[in-house]
Amino acid sequence: MSKAYNMISASLNEIIDDLETSNGSNLKQTVLTIDVNTVRTFTPSEIKNIRLENNLTQNLLAKFLCVSKKTVEAWEAGKNKPNGPSSRLLDLLSKKAIAPLRS
């Protein structure tokens, strides 16, 4: 599992423990289970196609993903790969589930 997953899981377990040991108060407890899909891996050409399908320059895509233009250039050149959050946003962009705002 990822470090982020482990941190979130530990935090949720602490909350549950706190609720269970809260001096007999009548707090209603609900456990929510969320399935998270694995992070998709994109090829350089897929990244470029996603960018072009959304009518974005490398600079605009970089701003949308909160990365540098050089990072987007490296992804499209195959030198680096997007990390988890960037991959998730790219996946949403590819599915047209989200769209970048333009001023």
Side-chain angles (χ1 to χ4, degrees):
M1 295 287 161
S2 72
K3 184 177 179 181
Y5 173 85
N6 290 335
M7 289 173 57
I8 293 168
S9 178
S11 296
L12 290 173
N13 285 331
E14 284 180 30
I15 292 169
I16 291 168
D17 289 342
D18 287 346
L19 289 172
E20 289 173 349
T21 59
S22 60
N23 298 330
S25 64
N26 293 328
L27 295 175
K28 185 176 179 179
Q29 297 180 27
T30 303
V31 176
L32 175 65
T33 303
I34 301 172
D35 293 323
V36 179
N37 295 333
T38 57
V39 179
R40 182 173 164 201
T41 303
F42 292 92
T43 65
S45 61
E46 287 175 322
I47 296 168
K48 185 174 183 177
N49 286 338
I50 291 167
R51 178 175 61 79
L52 295 175
E53 286 172 4
N54 285 278
N55 299 314
L56 297 170
T57 62
Q58 287 181 332
N59 193 43
L60 286 173
L61 179 61
K63 286 181 181 181
F64 179 73
L65 298 175
C66 297
V67 298
S68 71
K69 181 182 176 216
K70 292 283 186 188
T71 298
V72 173
E73 289 173 0
W75 293 343
E76 290 186 5
K79 295 178 183 175
N80 291 328
K81 293 181 180 182
N83 61 13
S86 296
S87 288
R88 294 218 186 266
L89 288 171
L90 283 168
D91 189 41
L92 292 171
L93 275 174
S94 73
K95 294 175 181 174
K96 303 291 186 190
I98 57 173
L101 294 176
R102 296 173 206 259
S103 54

